[in-house]
Amino acid sequence: MFSCSIKSQIELWNKPDVNLSTLTAVNSENDKGRAFLSFLRANNVQFKTVAKNLTYLIEMQKQQPLRGFRASNSFSTFHHSYHNFEDIITTFSSWCQQYRDVCKLMKIGKTHENRPILAATIEKENSNQKKSVLIECGIHAREWIAPAICMCIFQTLLQNQQNLEHHTFHMVPLLNPDGYAFSWRSQRLWRKNRRVNARNPRCSGVDLNRNFDINFCRVGASKDACSEVYCGPFAFSEPESKALRNFILNTAKPYATFHIHSYGQLIIHPHGYTRRKPPNAKNLNALAKRAVKNIKRNRGRSYKSGQTSSILYLSSGGADDWAFAKAKASLSYTIEGRDNGNYGFMLPQNQILPACTEVWIAISTILSENKNS
Ligand SMILES: [Zn+2]
């Protein structure tokens, strides 16, 4: 199926997982797409068409929910729609300023195209010993739901400060601003950052989630600059991955890290770069299972959990594996939010809040259950 999809220039949104359970392909409306569909039929591959008009879905994502309704940075309406890069950083900064007794804003780096990478520490000063938690969103440009989830969790942390009794939170709401801005203005399905690759100027960008210094570029990553999973010329070659590394090592020093992606409804933990189990696999697994159970019980949605390399695929250079192995975070999770492939990266705006609620249930379950164990 892979070779047929490549011949037909069909874009695959995800690699099939180890059970070959779901695969989403796009561009099936042109001649080449129709050839791909014939191939599926001829080989008795079950499939369903979930969206005939991708352009329409893309336009819907950029629309404000009400005609004439201006982008708003008010708490009550912000999460009703997706926001561009400028809106996100302006709002993130202004909310932090509004709650400056608990929020400290930082610029942790600058991208190839000179955009700032922002972070915030949300912390309440009292006598409790606090554990440090990092939440990172938006490493992959096209996963618009990820920064939207960070913004919504940010609001929760600022307004419900009982969450700060036992934990200090560090948040990077949009780690790949250049890629994100590019996905708004030009290619909606762009994944990487916007590095100009000197040796291959035809193909831009590095997959930031393959650029961390953990088994660098050995598996599930490519040295080809044109690949979607190009690892970059060397580990931490990119300003974005370097910014997160330095923030984690020098400021956050987290015991738990959460890396928010889409899509697939998965709560997965190290290792991703090897099938070897981490020493605390049992605990990582048990906590993820509790999170899955709580989401199901409270929201009725089914998520899956497990070790990345066993339920997804092997890949090296990931931020989660690096934080776990090199920055000594004892808990590290990648959460692939909604959905299961029906809309994929085109998740409608009215699913932002439900998607965020599910991720927040996962994070708060893992943190509170770990405290109790
Ligand atoms: Zn991703």
Side-chain angles (χ1 to χ4, degrees):
M1 182 149 54
F2 266 132
S3 56
C4 174
S5 71
I6 290 161
K7 257 190 281 166
S8 315
Q9 295 177 341
I10 293 289
E11 186 174 345
L12 297 179
W13 278 7
N14 58 342
K15 294 207 308 197
D17 57 33
V18 287
N19 302 315
L20 279 171
S21 56
T22 53
L23 182 67
T24 304
V26 295
N27 309 345
S28 54
E29 278 303 288
N30 55 20
D31 285 349
K32 286 171 177 163
R34 278 188 279 277
F36 183 63
L37 294 183
S38 307
F39 168 84
L40 295 181
R41 281 189 204 99
N43 288 279
N44 282 329
V45 178
Q46 287 190 0
F47 68 93
K48 67 175 177 177
T49 303
V50 291
K52 286 215 164 200
N53 189 341
L54 197 61
T55 315
Y56 173 73
L57 282 183
I58 292 174
E59 284 315 308
M60 285 301 288
Q61 280 200 312
K62 290 183 181 170
Q63 252 171 36
Q64 292 302 319
L66 299 171
R67 207 171 284 278
F69 181 84
R70 268 175 48 76
S72 160
N73 70 355
S74 91
F75 285 115
S76 58
T77 51
F78 188 84
H79 313 299
H80 293 175
S81 52
Y82 291 106
H83 295 271
N84 63 21
F85 160 76
E86 287 80 9
D87 263 9
I88 290 178
I89 55 156
T90 310
T91 306
F92 189 72
S93 312
S94 108
W95 288 357
C96 191
Q97 171 71 11
Q98 268 185 64
Y99 284 86
R100 55 190 168 278
D101 50 329
V102 292
C103 188
K104 188 177 155 208
L105 188 71
M106 277 153 281
K107 184 178 148 190
I108 61 169
K110 204 170 67 175
T111 65
H112 290 294
E113 294 175 353
N114 261 329
R115 290 188 178 82
I117 302 166
L118 295 187
T121 294
I122 310 111
E123 179 172 35
K124 193 163 146 185
E125 294 206 5
N126 57 25
S127 55
N128 290 343
Q129 279 279 338
K130 306 283 171 55
K131 285 180 163 180
S132 176
V133 176
L134 176 108
I135 306 175
E136 165 253 303
C137 296
I139 196 170
H140 286 143
R142 63 192 176 190
E143 299 166 10
W144 286 10
I145 189 62
I149 286 173
C150 252
M151 291 301 284
C152 147
I153 291 177
F154 187 49
Q155 177 188 352
T156 302
L157 294 172
L158 295 175
Q159 295 189 328
N160 303 305
Q161 294 183 6
Q162 72 275 16
N163 292 306
L164 309 177
E165 288 299 325
H166 301 286
H167 297 98
T168 293
F169 287 86
H170 304 273
M171 178 176 280
V172 180
L174 183 49
L175 185 61
N176 179 9
D178 289 353
Y180 187 75
F182 187 67
S183 81
W184 269 76
R185 82 171 176 267
S186 185
Q187 282 187 35
R188 172 64 188 85
L189 292 174
W190 189 256
R191 169 183 167 97
K192 302 186 278 182
N193 74 350
R194 292 296 298 157
R195 160 187 277 268
V196 176
N197 292 309
R199 283 197 188 159
N200 196 343
R202 216 167 33 86
C203 295
S204 316
V206 167
D207 182 351
L208 297 172
N209 211 28
R210 300 290 184 277
N211 191 242
F212 286 72
D213 186 15
I214 179 85
N215 204 35
F216 180 70
C217 218
R218 294 268 178 79
V219 58
S222 170
K223 294 199 164 90
D224 172 5
C226 298
S227 163
E228 284 279 60
V229 287
Y230 175 46
C231 58
F234 51 89
F236 291 121
S237 58
E238 301 311 293
E240 298 88 351
S241 49
K242 249 192 307 206
L244 186 64
R245 175 195 66 188
N246 295 344
F247 183 57
I248 286 179
L249 292 178
N250 303 333
T251 306
K253 300 173 183 156
Y255 98 104
T257 67
F258 296 94
H259 309 266
I260 313 304
H261 290 247
S262 79
Y263 54 93
Q265 295 177 195
L266 302 171
I267 301 170
I268 48 185
H269 63 75
H271 302 117
Y273 74 93
T274 168
R275 298 202 192 281
R276 206 165 19 87
K277 283 186 178 170
N280 62 341
K282 242 176 131 177
N283 189 39
L284 285 167
N285 230 317
L287 292 170
K289 280 211 166 82
R290 293 302 296 259
V292 166
K293 224 170 148 183
N294 265 351
I295 295 172
K296 181 76 183 170
R297 190 189 313 139
N298 290 295
R299 310 294 302 178
R301 275 259 157 174
S302 299
Y303 278 63
K304 279 196 258 178
S305 64
Q307 181 167 329
T308 307
S309 53
S310 34
I311 71 166
L312 218 49
Y313 41 75
L314 284 165
S315 62
S316 47
D320 51 354
D321 272 354
W322 176 83
F324 181 76
K326 301 284 181 82
K328 305 286 172 234
S330 54
L331 303 179
S332 179
Y333 292 92
T334 286
I335 304 182
E336 299 275 0
R338 282 190 183 201
D339 58 8
N340 256 332
N342 273 355
Y343 289 102
F345 304 117
M346 303 298 160
L347 196 70
Q349 312 198 88
N350 62 8
Q351 292 200 36
I352 294 173
L353 277 171
C356 171
T357 306
E358 286 153 15
V359 170
W360 179 240
I361 290 174
I363 293 176
S364 48
T365 300
I366 287 167
L367 295 178
S368 65
E369 293 285 330
N370 190 57
K371 199 176 71 205
N372 298 336
S373 62

